[in-house]
Amino acid sequence: MNALHQYLFDSYRSARLGEAPPPAPGTHDLAALRAARDHTRFEAVLAGRPASGRLRWWLRRTRRASQRGGSPEGGSSWGGSLRGGPSGDGSPRRRDLRGGAGAC
């Protein structure tokens, strides 16, 4: 049984009993996401961490580490960089169809 089936059963039951119908599935999704975000921020404040800007901080840290050639944790966990192809110079690696020095 999924959420729609449960909603239909609850709607039928509430109509037979003369009660107010339940809210449709998905009605309170945004409110639930906001409450989870607020709770996470509250827990961060209690732990002494910054309450906002952590995503930007992580992205900045990851980008700086990739530009240095490593991962934020110290070791290189993946090859290449965030800037283009495997060479990291911003240009994608092109396949040389003649089989020259740049052939893959």
Side-chain angles (χ1 to χ4, degrees):
M1 179 184 308
N2 61 21
L4 181 60
H5 292 136
Q6 185 64 46
Y7 170 71
L8 292 174
F9 281 132
D10 290 342
S11 296
Y12 176 76
R13 182 186 48 82
S14 65
R16 290 200 63 190
L17 297 176
E19 299 173 353
T27 303
H28 301 292
D29 287 353
L30 288 178
L33 290 174
R34 285 187 193 112
R37 180 195 61 198
D38 291 344
H39 179 72
T40 303
R41 288 180 177 174
F42 178 71
E43 291 291 328
V45 169
L46 290 180
R49 297 186 310 263
S52 63
R54 289 182 286 164
L55 178 62
R56 286 190 195 122
W57 172 82
W58 184 83
L59 289 171
R60 203 172 332 141
R61 179 178 173 211
T62 304
R63 183 172 180 210
R64 286 180 187 156
S66 69
Q67 288 174 349
R68 287 192 306 266
S71 71
E73 291 79 22
S76 180
S77 60
W78 51 277
S81 73
L82 295 175
R83 299 176 1 190
S87 61
D89 61 356
S91 64
R93 180 179 240 169
R94 292 193 175 91
R95 182 175 228 166
D96 189 2
L97 298 177
R98 293 172 290 179
C104 295

